[in-house]
Amino acid sequence: MKKLINDPASVVLEKLQGLALAHADLLKVHFDPVFVVRAAAPVMDKVGILSGGGSGHEPLHCGFVGVGMLDAACPGAIFTSPTPDQILEATKSIYHDAGVLYLVKNYTGDVLNFEMAAELAAEEGLTVAVELIDDDVSVEKGPATAGRRGVGTTVFAEKICGAAAEAGLNLPAVAALCRKVNGWSRSMGMALTSCTVPHVGKPTFELGAGEMEMGIGIHGEPGRRRVPLAMADEITEMLTLPILNDLPFKPGDAVIAMVNGMGGTPLGELYIVYRKLAEILHKHDITIARTLVGNYITALEMAGTSITLLKTDAELLKLWDAPVKTPALHWGM
Amino acid sequence: MKKLINDPASVVLEKLQGLALAHADLLKVHFDPVFVVRAAAPVMDKVGILSGGGSGHEPLHCGFVGVGMLDAACPGAIFTSPTPDQILEATKSIYHDAGVLYLVKNYTGDVLNFEMAAELAAEEGLTVAVELIDDDVSVEKGPATAGRRGVGTTVFAEKICGAAAEAGLNLPAVAALCRKVNGWSRSMGMALTSCTVPHVGKPTFELGAGEMEMGIGIHGEPGRRRVPLAMADEITEMLTLPILNDLPFKPGDAVIAMVNGMGGTPLGELYIVYRKLAEILHKHDITIARTLVGNYITALEMAGTSITLLKTDAELLKLWDAPVKTPALHWGM
């Protein structure tokens, strides 16, 4: 295991210490229990936006705390849900009469713990709403599974709900926007390599030199299928067509498109994927209105990529373009 | 070799096609010869800032083309200098009476070709100045070498000279600023893994499971020494102390600090390095005025990091904070 870490047991703590030191103008870290809030929290007269989940997906979620996006983020251990008490304390630290919205990726532990935190908050008289993100088309819907995983759409939901809260929308309206974003957005990912959880010390799964995993999750969960290594254009097609067919996206649609790196893939390769994605969408008469190309929701040092497409309209575009100032997204201010 | 590419021979071309498609609002790509210019080039009434070098270091240089930074970038083949004719054509495409400044990393091929391009430009009556970046403290100065390599300081020079040009400074003044930045800035890097040049198909060098390379260059050139794998805090110290001693940085100095990823290292690990860097600088009574943590000057999918420190003052800080809008740096607008 070759990593720039010290003790595997202190990886999350030290990442957060580094984050706090590097971005003291934007955020601060509370260490017991652990959560990240804006430097100026609580921000008055707006809905508080709170997200969180296992660590190892940086910059998600802590790197999206700041003006125009999250008010707070609760990082768990690597690939492990944060606990209800963490979430409750973070909620209190950002709480204001306008209430708080939890944006939760659809994983059993996350859903359980965020819902428990919401109950505890309600018992203390706090108004909290919970919205789930479940955009991963590589998981089939049905009674046999816990539903689809929440992946790339989380970035879009955090940006758009963050902007809506900043614009003064009330809690039901911001929650409704989250459902709109989740309803209109789909993702799929793939891996060229596995990743290694620090305290485990060996790769989560083995992948041969000539193999890749299509439909991978962001924790190295099994994908749809293990297939022979293919060229970037074929891989892009294998990711994009299931996304397009699932919503389905239609000719004339405009989208916000993200080509996301899994952590160990260099930026140049993501642009090669973007090139083919743009070609495919053009053929389907779908317009790309805005783009994100880079590492936004990762799986430690995994090599691979995911694509997320969000059908968009004037309302979503306006919120997307609104100013944001966080460690990982920064424009308009 | 596991990469998200198609034909190794078309990697650079396809990256640039993707870049152009993803950021048509900011830049456009000219394909024969190959160079990237701002969407609105030429920009009148300002010095043109042009940089370039081998590909494989993305987002450097092409990802820094845009308002407040570069007017043009000339990408060579992977880890290979651009040619004089490329540079000359890019120069013409951005040329205005205020002249053009070439920002050149100190590698033999780059220096030769940019200087030849400057001569060709002069023959055509164009005013061009050339400034070198040679900030890598892992290379000893002396007659036996081609001098120090240009690494992380290039990012700082492109941002600050870009802002100065935007503010209307003339060519000698912008060139002087580049010398100031280069004179006040030092870098050092290390690698946990090698990288693989696509058309070569095998790693540039071999590194054992328990080894790392200190003082690595951005093309996988040998470093100062190969040593046993160490913890992040020790690695950070091994990078920071030579930097501090070289300038030397002094108690009371303020710096812009970059913790840069080599391409395959996840963001979370870079924050662990930043944490220790901040501690070391605090002990030396050096203030961190601004930070960059992320992948800015990379070596394909190499795992590793580099640290760059730029001594700063009110003039440099003001230029650093000036608005910038490029694919890879974006703030204030």
Side-chain angles (χ1 to χ4, degrees), chain A residues 86 97 108 119 142 150 181 184 202 226 241 273 283 289 332:
Chain A
Q86 254 180 290
D97 292 346
T108 308
E119 280 174 34
V181 167
W184 284 13
K202 61 186 176 67
R226 187 161 298 189
L241 297 183
V273 171
K283 269 188 200 156

Side-chain angles (χ1 to χ4, degrees), chain B residues 10 23 26 71 80 113 123 155 170 179 184 197 219 281:
Chain B
S10 62
H23 306 288
L26 299 175
D71 290 270
T80 304
N113 288 354
E123 283 171 18
V155 179
N170 66 19
R179 290 192 295 277
W184 282 14
V197 176
H219 312 92
L281 295 186

Side-chain angles (χ1 to χ4, degrees), chain B residues 51-106:
Chain B
S51 191
S55 292
H57 307 302
E58 291 75 20
L60 189 85
H61 300 268
C62 299
F64 295 133
V65 173
V67 180
M69 214 159 165
L70 299 181
D71 290 270
C74 295
I78 299 283
F79 295 172
T80 304
S81 173
T83 58
D85 67 300
Q86 255 180 288
I87 302 164
L88 181 64
E89 288 306 312
T91 305
K92 289 179 185 171
S93 78
I94 63 168
Y95 197 78
H96 174 267
D97 291 346
V100 169
L101 175 64
Y102 293 171
L103 299 177
V104 184
K105 303 194 299 301
N106 187 36

Side-chain angles (χ1 to χ4, degrees), chain B residues 39-40 153 181 197 257 263 280 288 307:
Chain B
T153 296
V181 168
V197 176
I280 297 169
I288 303 180
I307 291 173

Side-chain angles (χ1 to χ4, degrees), chain A residues 2 17 23 192 271 275 332, chain B residues 2 17 23 192 271 275:
Chain A
K2 290 184 122 173
Q17 289 171 333
H23 306 289
L192 292 173
Y271 279 112
R275 168 188 166 275
Chain B
K2 289 183 125 176
Q17 288 170 334
H23 306 288
L192 292 173
Y271 278 112
R275 169 188 166 275

Side-chain angles (χ1 to χ4, degrees), chain A residues 22-245:
Chain A
H23 306 289
D25 54 325
L26 300 175
L27 53 82
K28 56 193 174 190
V29 180
H30 186 275
F31 284 103
D32 187 20
V34 177
F35 55 87
V36 178
V37 293
R38 293 193 197 181
V43 180
M44 292 299 152
D45 294 323
K46 68 175 273 302
V47 171
I49 308 290
L50 187 155
S51 191
S55 292
H57 307 301
E58 290 76 18
L60 191 84
H61 300 270
C62 299
F64 295 135
V65 173
V67 180
M69 216 161 164
L70 299 181
D71 290 271
C74 295
I78 299 283
F79 295 173
T80 304
S81 173
T83 59
D85 67 299
Q86 254 180 290
I87 301 165
L88 181 64
E89 288 306 312
T91 305
K92 289 178 185 171
S93 79
I94 62 167
Y95 197 79
H96 174 269
D97 292 346
V100 168
L101 175 63
Y102 293 172
L103 299 177
V104 184
K105 302 195 297 302
N106 187 36
Y107 298 96
T108 308
D110 285 338
V111 174
L112 200 71
N113 287 354
F114 274 94
E115 285 185 346
M116 195 175 297
E119 280 174 34
L120 295 170
E123 282 170 18
E124 301 197 23
L126 309 181
T127 304
V128 167
V130 182
E131 291 296 337
L132 300 186
I133 308 294
D134 60 347
D135 58 316
D136 188 343
V137 303
S138 61
V139 179
E140 300 300 331
K141 283 183 171 168
T145 72
R148 287 183 163 176
R149 303 177 291 221
V151 286
T153 296
T154 314
V155 179
F156 292 165
E158 292 181 2
K159 171 68 182 80
I160 286 168
C161 293
E166 218 77 53
L169 272 68
N170 66 18
L171 185 55
V174 180
L177 261 170
C178 183
R179 290 192 295 277
K180 176 173 172 176
V181 167
N182 189 52
W184 284 13
S185 186
R186 295 293 186 275
S187 298
M188 189 167 163
M190 60 78 59
L192 292 173
T193 67
S194 181
C195 57
T196 298
V197 175
H199 63 265
V200 177
K202 61 186 176 67
T204 303
F205 60 95
E206 293 294 336
L207 207 50
E211 289 179 326
M212 60 182 187
E213 185 87 25
M214 296 302 299
I216 196 85
I218 54 172
H219 311 93
E221 308 97 311
R224 279 192 173 190
R225 56 186 190 281
R226 187 161 298 189
V227 295
L229 198 58
M231 289 197 295
D233 283 0
E234 298 170 73
I235 291 170
T236 306
E237 212 157 41
M238 286 189 263
L239 295 175
T240 308
L241 297 183
I243 290 172
L244 293 181
N245 292 335

